[in-house]
Amino acid sequence: MFDKEKASTLYEHLVHPESFKEYLRESETDFDEINFDNLLETVRNDINRISAEELSVIISFFNKESHFHSIDKDRATSEQILQELYNRFGITLLYEVPTSTVCYCYMFQYGNYTHCFPVDQKTDEDIGITIGSKDFLRFNDYMILLAKQILDSRLDGFEYTFTELEEKNSL
Amino acid sequence: MALNILLLNLKKKTVFEIKDNPGNRTILEEAENEFEYLKKMFNKDNIATQTVCRAYDFFLCSAAMKSKINADKNTRIIILDSC
């Protein structure tokens, strides 16, 4: 998700110096649908209107930057630089699904939900989905209700309790 | 317990939601329906089994997202496929 005000400063970061434009040119085959000027305008006016493909290219660029600034350092430093870039420019990584199997499980539920409850969404083939937050929150409610039923049933044989820290982080 | 209060509010809200979808169900009803399917397929289908085994993570992460997203300010969410 995005913080519109913070993200408007991303415009300056991407336009000066021209390294982002250079990066786009180099990666042309990967991101052939991206229009540099349109992307900058979106970022400047309201990053909420960004497409999945445009976000994908910005994240790739951040990855490259954090890697560049942490050469000869450990992975934690690279991750820290990346996190700082996200924070500075108002991009929040809400949930990183850990493996491709879990990702498939999560998206299977998303597909199941959207089959029953039509949502306002736009799909960039093989890249991602842009969805209105209100619709996403309803899907998120569905996931909470479903997961809680699974936990209460103890189907996998475990009884789950929540630590104080987990409770604090969840609310 | 805070998490239970959150869940209680959620159930109240979803139970009374207008059934304006093709299946004519509320979110709670759909979640219950899917749970029955997962229960039936547990240990028979890999995705159903993995979904059950990952429920703890799904629950905590979804609850955390619920508290972070302000739909008026953060108007859109992007799900990126990086698998």
Side-chain angles (χ1 to χ4, degrees):
Chain A
M1 69 174 180
F2 312 101
D3 181 319
K4 185 178 156 183
E5 276 73 37
K6 270 189 182 178
S8 61
T9 61
L10 178 59
Y11 174 83
E12 299 297 330
H13 183 71
L14 296 180
V15 80
H16 304 293
E18 291 224 331
S19 57
F20 179 62
K21 199 169 187 176
E22 191 62 34
Y23 176 72
L24 263 185
R25 204 176 297 125
E26 283 172 8
S27 330
E28 205 171 352
T29 47
D30 291 341
F31 304 107
D32 49 0
E33 297 295 319
I34 301 279
N35 178 304
F36 179 73
D37 295 327
N38 286 352
L39 195 160
L40 286 191
E41 273 312 297
T42 308
V43 164
R44 183 157 65 169
N45 296 328
D46 184 2
I47 196 170
N48 284 294
R49 304 180 70 85
I50 201 169
S51 72
E53 186 171 24
E54 287 169 333
L55 178 64
S56 179
V57 72
I58 288 175
I59 288 176
S60 295
F61 180 63
F62 281 0
N63 279 326
K64 192 191 163 208
E65 278 194 306
S66 67
H67 181 70
F68 177 77
H69 291 298
S70 61
I71 287 175
D72 300 332
K73 292 175 188 145
D74 57 9
R75 190 176 159 79
T77 310
S78 175
E79 285 294 320
Q80 194 190 344
I81 293 170
L82 187 62
Q83 198 51 54
E84 279 165 12
L85 284 169
Y86 283 146
N87 291 344
R88 188 168 143 209
F89 297 119
I91 298 175
T92 304
L93 177 63
L94 285 164
Y95 180 22
E96 194 164 17
V97 187
T99 66
S100 56
T101 309
V102 183
C103 184
Y104 190 83
C105 294
Y106 188 80
M107 291 315 289
F108 185 86
Q109 289 307 325
Y110 181 79
N112 186 39
Y113 175 85
T114 53
H115 179 71
C116 302
F117 302 93
V119 297
D120 170 22
Q121 67 172 7
K122 184 180 169 290
T123 305
D124 280 352
E125 198 71 37
D126 296 329
I127 296 173
I129 299 165
T130 308
I131 174 171
S133 294
K134 284 182 181 154
D135 279 336
F136 179 80
L137 281 170
R138 282 160 55 102
F139 159 66
N140 198 57
D141 284 350
Y142 163 83
M143 281 304 285
I144 292 172
L145 290 168
L146 176 62
K148 187 68 166 65
Q149 279 181 77
I150 296 170
L151 296 180
D152 287 347
S153 73
R154 300 180 197 169
L155 255 185
D156 60 357
F158 293 105
E159 185 179 351
Y160 293 96
T161 51
F162 301 101
T163 63
E164 253 181 60
L165 183 67
E166 283 169 340
E167 282 193 38
K168 198 170 151 241
N169 287 342
S170 302
L171 296 173
Chain B
M1 209 169 108
L3 281 170
N4 281 335
I5 293 168
L6 163 83
L7 203 73
L8 199 66
N9 286 338
L10 207 57
K11 281 195 177 179
K12 257 189 186 168
K13 194 182 120 198
T14 52
V15 159
F16 296 112
E17 212 151 16
I18 303 164
K19 300 179 179 185
D20 60 351
N21 58 84
N24 203 30
R25 292 196 185 111
T26 63
I27 292 176
L28 178 60
E29 284 166 341
E30 190 50 44
E32 283 170 348
N33 189 46
E34 179 63 12
F35 171 66
E36 289 304 320
Y37 170 77
L38 292 175
K39 204 160 70 174
K40 200 172 77 185
M41 298 310 285
F42 184 61
N43 280 340
K44 292 183 192 132
D45 171 79
N46 184 41
I47 293 305
T49 308
Q50 289 292 328
T51 305
V52 168
C53 294
R54 284 289 176 165
Y56 186 67
D57 190 37
F58 287 147
F59 180 77
L60 287 178
C61 291
S62 301
M65 282 195 277
K66 189 174 172 65
S67 68
K68 281 183 194 161
I69 300 168
N70 174 350
D72 293 326
K73 195 177 163 198
N74 322 115
T75 55
R76 286 197 180 94
I77 302 290
I78 294 185
I79 302 172
L80 277 184
D81 181 2
S82 55
C83 295

